[in-house]
Amino acid sequence: DSGVTQTPKHLITATGQRVTLRCSPRSGDLSVYWYQQSLDQGLQFLIQYYNGEERAKGNILERFSAQQFPDLHSELNLSSLELGDSALYFCASTLGGGPTDTQYFGPGTRLTVL
Amino acid sequence: GQQVMQIPQYQHVQEGEDFTTYCNSSTTLSNIQWYKQRPGGHPVFLIQLVKSGEVKKQKRLTFQFGEAKKNSSLHITATQTTDVGTYFCAGNNNAGNMLTFGGGTRLMVKP
């Protein structure tokens, strides 16, 4: 158990809909990263937050947005969903948010868009 | 942008055989990390390499960072069925504040 929690575990929805994925970092960690992992694919970095502020942006679509709240939990919002958005979404947390920090991954949310 | 490539994409081995995965970057890396993801699981940190030519060992796993800091490898000696999973490298080139993950090597071990 990494100490990072993600909810929900599974999500099934229809095209065009909007969903919110939630991540709580390890106690004491200030930074949260979001990744997308499609079937048999690598980890695509989406976005990073540090202490409530956006720190780095990857290949995140305009239909996707995220935020980190004062209690440091983070939410990833996916809207106008398409079939191709079906994937595993992981969040990871680190203490300082730097590239040498160990990333602790949550169990992931499996999103299925029908 | 920075690219991190891993080969092979898949590897089937017989239990007891050795296994190596290679990670190559288009730019010089300041550090590289390795993660393992078991089937149905999430990535778990294995190790970080920072110095040119660095070699680190964890039991049957040997990690190397190239002299030019543009490549890295993970070698597993005498694989076991518990080694099954996908191994990812992730590198940072100091141009950004993030790690770039390779595509991963999926290891399958036949008992």
Side-chain angles (χ1 to χ4, degrees):
Chain A
D1 182 10
S2 66
V4 178
T5 59
Q6 288 188 249
T7 56
K9 222 171 187 176
H10 303 276
L11 201 47
I12 301 175
T13 188
T15 54
Q17 294 297 306
R18 173 190 168 93
V19 297
T20 298
L21 313 183
R22 184 188 167 106
C23 169
S24 292
R26 287 190 324 153
S27 176
D29 282 359
L30 298 178
S31 190
V32 169
Y33 298 74
W34 285 98
Y35 293 91
Q36 180 192 58
Q37 186 175 45
S38 302
L39 191 65
D40 280 346
Q41 298 282 311
L43 292 157
Q44 297 296 318
F45 169 68
L46 296 178
I47 198 162
Q48 178 203 2
Y49 282 83
Y50 175 78
N51 207 20
E53 301 287 326
E54 182 185 306
R55 178 168 272 197
K57 217 166 186 174
N59 299 321
I60 188 166
L61 299 171
E62 282 192 19
R63 301 183 285 110
F64 296 1
S65 65
Q67 54 183 325
Q68 187 179 29
F69 294 86
D71 68 351
L72 300 177
H73 90 271
S74 179
E75 292 181 357
L76 178 67
N77 301 296
L78 315 176
S79 61
S80 303
L81 285 167
E82 301 174 0
L83 295 177
D85 297 328
S86 295
L88 255 177
Y89 290 85
F90 287 107
C91 79
S93 76
T94 69
L95 179 62
T100 59
D101 289 357
T102 297
Q103 297 201 10
Y104 295 90
F105 283 79
T109 293
R110 182 172 293 282
L111 173 66
T112 303
V113 182
L114 301 174
Chain B
Q2 178 187 344
Q3 289 194 338
V4 177
M5 311 295 290
Q6 261 186 275
I7 55 169
Q9 199 173 355
Y10 303 94
Q11 183 83 58
H12 287 86
V13 300
Q14 197 73 39
E15 189 173 21
E17 290 181 340
D18 291 357
F19 158 77
T20 304
T21 172
Y22 300 91
C23 182
N24 295 293
S25 169
S26 56
T27 59
T28 302
L29 302 171
S30 58
N31 61 289
I32 193 157
Q33 296 181 354
W34 285 90
Y35 290 79
K36 177 184 178 181
Q37 184 178 17
R38 292 182 189 274
H42 58 273
V44 174
F45 174 80
L46 293 176
I47 210 158
Q48 174 164 257
L49 305 170
V50 178
K51 298 176 188 173
S52 167
E54 189 169 14
V55 177
K56 286 189 176 180
K57 292 193 174 188
Q58 287 179 351
K59 296 182 181 176
R60 293 177 296 104
L61 277 60
T62 302
F63 303 83
Q64 292 191 348
F65 201 6
E67 293 290 341
K69 299 182 77 174
K70 293 181 80 171
N71 57 74
S72 181
S73 65
L74 157 58
H75 179 81
I76 302 179
T77 305
T79 54
Q80 300 174 359
T81 54
T82 53
D83 295 326
V84 162
T86 301
Y87 292 85
F88 291 99
C89 63
N92 169 259
N93 65 358
N94 260 345
N97 192 48
M98 59 190 191
L99 289 173
T100 300
F101 279 79
T105 295
R106 186 173 170 187
L107 172 64
M108 288 152 280
V109 180
K110 285 178 268 188

